Amino acid sequence: MRTTATMKTGIAFVLVIAAQVGQPLAAQDAYDPSPDNLAARAWFQDAKFGLFVHWGIYSVLGAGEWVMQVRGIPADVYEGVAAQFNPVRFDAAAWVSLVKDAGMSYITITAKHHDGFAMFDSAVTDWDIVDRTPYGRDVLAELAEECSRQGIKLFFYYSQLDWHHPDYFPRGQTGQRTGRPDDGDWQNYLHFMDAQLAELLTNYGEVGGIWFDGMWDRPDAEWALEHTYGMIHGLQPATLVGSNHHRDPFPGEDFQMFEKDLPGRNTAGFNEAAVSELPLETAETINRSWGFNLTDADYKSADELIRYLVRAAGADANFLLNVGPMPDGRIQPEFQERLRSVGDWMRTYGRSIRGTRGGPIFGPWGVSTTGNGTVFVHVLEWNGRALAIPSPGIVEEAQLLRDGSAVTVQEVEGGIVLTLPERPEGLVDEVVQLTLAR
Ligand code: JFZ
C-alpha cells in the first residue's frame, strides 16, 4: 500500500508540471448537452450516493488493483492470473440488493482497469473475462440486467491507461516493467479503446455514465477526447462522461470528480482542479484499498462513512463509496456490514440527502442541504444546546428529522438560534429540518 501511495503522489507531481506547461488537450468542441443529458445530470445530483466497484483478475492476488505495476509483473506472466479467476460465488442479484439496502442509486464498476483486462465480452480482444477465465461469463452483462430489473443505474469505469495492450506506446509514467516491445501504434490503441467503449454503449442497455481514469499517465499525449466523447454521446446522449484527470473539466464532460477529497479540498495532494459548474462526485474507499486487499483491515466505521456522505451532500457532491470484491465474487462481510449500517441511517435521514443540493449554510458544527423549500441543518460536531447559524430565510417550522419533535427558533441579529435537545449518546448527525416561507 505504501509503495502505491508514494508512487501515486509522484504521478500527481508530474501531472501538476504537465498542467503548468499547459498542453491544451482537445475535447468535444462546442459541446451542447442534449435535454436527455441535462435530465440525467439532474437525476445524478438527486441520487447522491453510489457504489464504486473495483473488480478484476487482480483480486486473485489480494494486493489491490495496482499489483501488476507495484510488483513489476510482466504482461505475459500476469496473463496466468486470468486462468485462476473463477468467481463462482458472484451473484449479481445479491450485489444489487446490497446497493439498494445501502440506500444507493447507482453502481460504477471497473469495465477495464489499468491492467487492460476487460470484465466483459469484448470482440476486439481476447484479453477478457469470457475468453481467458475458467468462469467464462460476462459479469457486466449479468450486472446490467440485474440493475435494470432493480432500478439501479450502471456506470462503467474505463481506464485509458493500459499496461497490457502493445499499442499503448509511447508509454507513460507507469507500465514500464511489463516486458512489452518498445514500439506500438498509438492510433491503433485509440481505435481499440473507442471500439471497446462502443461495445459498452451498445451491448449493455442504458449506460448511466463512463468514468474515465488514467489519462494522467500520459498527460501530453493526443487522446482525441473530442472523438471519443462525441462517439459516446452519439450512441447514448444521456450517458454522463467524467474523467479522473484531476484537471479542470474538458468540453464533453458532464460531471467532475474528486478522488478521496471533498470538492475544493486537496488533502490527497492531487486535487488541484477548481470546482466547476458541473455535477460533482467524490470517491472514497472503505478501508485504504480500491481493489481487494487481503491485508488491509483499516476500515472506516459506518459513522465515519455517514459523515463523509453528509459532508459530500453539503458540498453539493455525490458520494461514490468503493468496495473491492473478492476473487470468489463475494463482497467481504466487513464492507457489507458497513454498507447496511449506512443504509439503516438512510432510511431515517435519506430525505435530507437524496434529492437535495448543497448549502446554503455551514460552519464548524456541520453542513446543510436544501430541497423543496426545506433546509436540512446537519449538526455533525456540536454538543451544545444553542446553535447560532446564519438565517437561511423566513423559518416557518423547525423540527428534528429523527422524530419530528419541534425545535425552537429564535431570531437574533445576524441569524437565528436553534435550541437543540440534549444530544443522544452516539448520534452521528442531528438533522434539523427548517421549512421556509415561500
Ligand atoms: C486512480 C487509479 O489509479 C486507482 O487504481 C483507482 O482506480 C482510483 C479510483 O483512480 O487513482 C489515481 C488517479 C490519479 C492520481 C492518483 C490516483 N493522481 O493523479 O495522482
Side-chain angles (χ1 to χ4, degrees):
M1 258 342 273
R2 175 138 312 146
T3 327
T4 314
T6 315
M7 189 171 45
K8 288 185 186 177
T9 313
I11 295 163
F13 179 70
V14 172
L15 244 183
V16 172
I17 302 289
Q20 281 164 355
V21 173
Q23 276 267 357
L25 289 172
Q28 197 180 342
D29 265 346
Y31 173 54
D32 192 11
S34 70
D36 283 354
N37 187 280
L38 295 175
R41 292 183 189 188
W43 177 91
F44 182 70
Q45 288 186 294
D46 285 345
K48 279 290 177 296
F49 192 25
L51 184 73
F52 208 176
V53 181
H54 274 74
W55 200 35
I57 57 172
Y58 44 77
S59 60
V60 169
L61 302 174
E65 77 288 357
W66 273 64
V67 61
M68 187 179 171
Q69 168 74 17
V70 173
R71 284 178 49 187
I73 304 174
D76 58 342
V77 173
Y78 189 76
E79 287 183 6
V81 179
Q84 296 176 51
F85 185 67
N86 193 19
V88 291
R89 301 188 70 176
F90 170 67
D91 179 350
W95 282 20
V96 179
S97 298
L98 175 64
V99 162
K100 295 198 85 161
D101 287 350
M104 295 165 159
S105 305
Y106 62 101
I107 298 175
T108 303
I109 186 169
T110 46
K112 184 192 101 167
H113 206 268
H114 306 336
D115 64 0
F117 190 79
M119 292 293 281
F120 59 101
D121 188 13
S122 177
V124 294
T125 180
D126 66 352
W127 184 230
D128 71 41
I129 188 165
V130 173
D131 294 324
R132 292 287 187 102
T133 74
Y135 193 58
R137 276 157 55 179
D138 184 334
V139 292
L140 294 196
E142 293 181 25
L143 196 59
E145 197 171 309
E146 192 57 37
C147 280
S148 101
R149 189 173 298 136
Q150 297 202 42
I152 291 294
K153 279 209 195 189
L154 186 59
F155 290 52
F156 295 128
Y157 169 111
Y158 189 90
S159 173
Q160 294 156 299
L161 159 61
D162 196 311
W163 293 330
H164 183 271
H165 202 292
D167 287 323
Y168 188 91
F169 190 86
R171 279 184 276 281
Q173 310 301 324
T174 65
Q176 307 284 1
R177 297 188 289 167
T178 53
R180 290 172 291 178
D182 281 335
D183 63 77
D185 179 347
W186 181 250
Q187 289 307 319
N188 212 32
Y189 176 69
L190 294 182
H191 289 314
F192 164 79
M193 194 164 58
D194 285 346
Q196 285 204 322
L197 288 162
E199 291 178 329
L200 289 169
L201 285 144
T202 310
N203 301 334
Y204 298 87
E206 193 189 303
V207 177
I210 300 292
W211 207 103
F212 282 110
D213 190 20
M215 215 179 92
W216 41 261
D217 184 62
R218 290 199 62 200
D220 297 334
E222 177 46 78
W223 286 99
L225 296 181
E226 78 278 25
H227 184 264
T228 301
Y229 291 174
M231 181 197 72
I232 293 168
H233 288 132
L235 289 169
Q236 293 201 31
T239 297
L240 302 179
V241 172
S243 179
N244 192 29
H245 46 47
H246 298 207
R247 299 163 67 162
D248 293 335
F250 294 111
E253 293 175 4
D254 304 302
F255 67 106
Q256 186 185 15
M257 55 191 72
F258 293 82
E259 183 195 323
K260 287 184 159 290
D261 254 324
L262 291 172
R265 298 232 208 138
N266 188 13
T267 58
F270 45 66
N271 288 313
E272 305 277 347
V275 179
S276 75
E277 292 296 306
L278 296 178
L280 307 173
E281 182 182 64
T282 172
E284 186 50 290
T285 50
I286 294 181
N287 50 7
R288 289 163 163 272
S289 313
W290 298 102
F292 176 59
N293 188 327
L294 196 57
T295 54
D296 180 357
D298 195 1
Y299 304 107
K300 295 169 190 71
S301 68
D303 284 359
E304 282 177 86
L305 298 172
I306 292 166
R307 265 184 235 117
Y308 206 98
L309 169 64
V310 171
R311 288 197 180 278
D316 208 24
N318 284 16
F319 185 38
L320 186 63
L321 181 57
N322 182 76
V323 297
M326 300 188 289
D328 70 0
R330 286 176 307 153
I331 294 170
Q332 62 188 88
E334 295 86 350
F335 291 160
Q336 292 206 34
E337 274 163 33
R338 285 163 178 79
L339 291 175
R340 288 186 213 284
S341 300
V342 178
D344 287 342
W345 183 87
M346 281 292 276
R347 266 179 285 285
T348 305
Y349 295 94
R351 276 197 308 127
S352 68
I353 303 291
R354 252 186 246 110
T356 68
R357 297 294 179 270
I361 48 180
F362 59 90
W365 46 268
V367 298
S368 66
T369 51
T370 316
N372 347 275
T374 304
V375 172
F376 299 97
V377 180
H378 296 266
V379 187
L380 293 164
E381 332 265 351
W382 181 257
N383 278 318
R385 301 284 311 277
L387 176 67
I389 56 174
S391 173
I394 299 166
V395 178
E396 274 185 348
E397 211 188 332
Q399 53 194 157
L400 294 186
L401 186 57
R402 63 183 157 92
D403 61 7
S405 62
V407 170
T408 311
V409 182
Q410 206 190 332
E411 279 190 49
V412 294
E413 208 179 301
I416 55 175
V417 175
L418 307 177
T419 305
L420 304 171
E422 201 74 55
R423 193 174 179 105
E425 188 71 36
L427 186 76
V428 51
D429 182 15
E430 183 75 283
V431 183
V432 183
Q433 181 177 345
L434 305 178
T435 310
L436 301 186
R438 303 250 165 191

